[in-house]
Amino acid sequence: GESVGLHLPTLSVQEGDNSIINCAYSNSASDYFIWYKQESGKGPQFIIDIRSNMDKRQGQRVTVLLNKTVKHLSLQIAATQPGDSAVYFCAENKGGTASKLTFGTGTRLQVTL
Amino acid sequence: KAGVTQTPRYLIKTRGQQVTLSCSPISGHRSVSWYQQTPGQGLQFLFEYFSETQRNKGNFPGRFSGRQFSNSRSEMNVSTLELGDSALYLCASSLEPGRVAFFGQGTRLTVV
């Protein structure tokens, strides 16, 4: 039978605007969160990470916010550029020293000119 | 510094065959993890290796196996291939378990 792919939510943003990509995580025991960017035909590329003892972390043009109360993570991209067009995944590590990451379904970011 | 290198990039196999995929981690990284990515299931954890030992395994059948060598390079093997094994197989390396993982470009496996 025909396989059904995951439905990827899509965020369309005009070049130069700010983007906010949201992610709900599942495990309150998770203590480490990462955002990855994946372009077509490539592997996920690390963007920024945050530990559960923080609620905000900033990088170059990106900011990650963590709200542990509602188990919500967001990625903010400032001055979005065409090169930011990709699928963005949040991933959580459910504690300890394991490297096992649980990924969200992803959000497709489309930057319009 | 070179990134994570996966070989081959593309592979076509027939049902029932077996396949071995290779991963060379970033120099100095000792932890290697494998993930399967499909349109239907997304990114799913397969297993993690550190110091030549499997530390974690995802919910995959025993046909999926792996190993890590003393130089931290890793291989994964899938035996008795099924059509549903068609996927992008991704390897990620980190300095040690629990640290940020960097991914390779993946191996695109097609089973016909």
Side-chain angles (χ1 to χ4, degrees):
Chain A
E2 182 181 5
S3 64
V4 178
L6 291 170
H7 171 66
L8 280 186
T10 298
L11 175 66
S12 288
V13 174
Q14 200 159 15
E15 181 181 6
D17 287 352
N18 296 334
S19 303
I20 299 177
I21 301 172
N22 297 303
C23 177
Y25 64 92
S26 58
N27 193 329
S28 56
S30 294
D31 65 357
Y32 182 49
F33 305 89
I34 311 177
W35 280 99
Y36 287 95
K37 168 188 179 183
Q38 188 174 27
E39 296 172 282
S40 182
K42 296 186 178 181
Q45 175 188 350
F46 170 78
I47 301 173
I48 192 167
D49 58 355
I50 189 168
R51 298 248 172 226
S52 59
N53 60 352
M54 303 172 70
D55 52 23
K56 180 180 180 179
R57 191 165 187 220
Q58 289 184 289
Q60 187 177 10
R61 280 202 308 121
V62 295
T63 300
V64 55
L65 299 178
L66 175 63
N67 185 330
K68 293 182 287 293
T69 302
V70 295
K71 293 191 284 187
H72 183 266
L73 198 65
S74 69
L75 176 70
Q76 299 178 2
I77 304 173
T80 311
Q81 303 168 0
D84 295 327
S85 293
V87 177
Y88 289 79
F89 293 96
C90 65
E92 60 182 297
N93 182 320
K94 296 181 180 179
T97 57
S99 291
K100 177 180 178 179
L101 296 173
T102 300
F103 283 81
T105 55
T107 296
R108 185 179 303 282
L109 176 64
Q110 290 180 339
V111 181
T112 58
L113 302 177
Chain B
K1 187 184 270 192
V4 178
T5 303
Q6 292 188 245
T7 56
R9 288 292 311 278
Y10 303 92
L11 206 49
I12 300 176
K13 288 285 189 178
T14 305
R15 271 184 303 173
Q17 287 187 312
Q18 74 166 14
V19 67
T20 299
L21 311 181
S22 180
C23 172
S24 293
I26 293 171
S27 178
H29 284 198
R30 298 187 297 156
S31 175
V32 173
S33 300
W34 289 88
Y35 292 81
Q36 181 195 66
Q37 186 174 28
T38 60
Q41 299 296 322
L43 274 151
Q44 293 187 291
F45 172 80
L46 278 158
F47 22 66
E48 175 201 4
Y49 287 90
F50 178 68
S51 294
E52 301 177 65
T53 302
Q54 187 181 92
R55 300 182 77 244
N56 267 297
K57 190 177 193 305
N59 189 24
F60 280 83
R63 300 184 297 108
F64 291 81
S65 63
R67 59 178 176 168
Q68 185 181 33
F69 301 96
S70 58
N71 61 359
S72 296
R73 193 177 67 84
S74 178
E75 289 181 347
M76 67 163 282
N77 184 277
V78 188
S79 63
T80 319
L81 283 164
E82 301 176 359
L83 295 178
D85 297 332
S86 295
L88 181 66
Y89 289 89
L90 293 158
C91 171
S93 78
S94 56
L95 277 169
E96 55 191 25
R99 301 287 292 273
V100 63
F102 296 91
F103 284 82
Q105 299 280 54
T107 294
R108 171 74 62 186
L109 172 66
T110 302
V111 182
V112 297

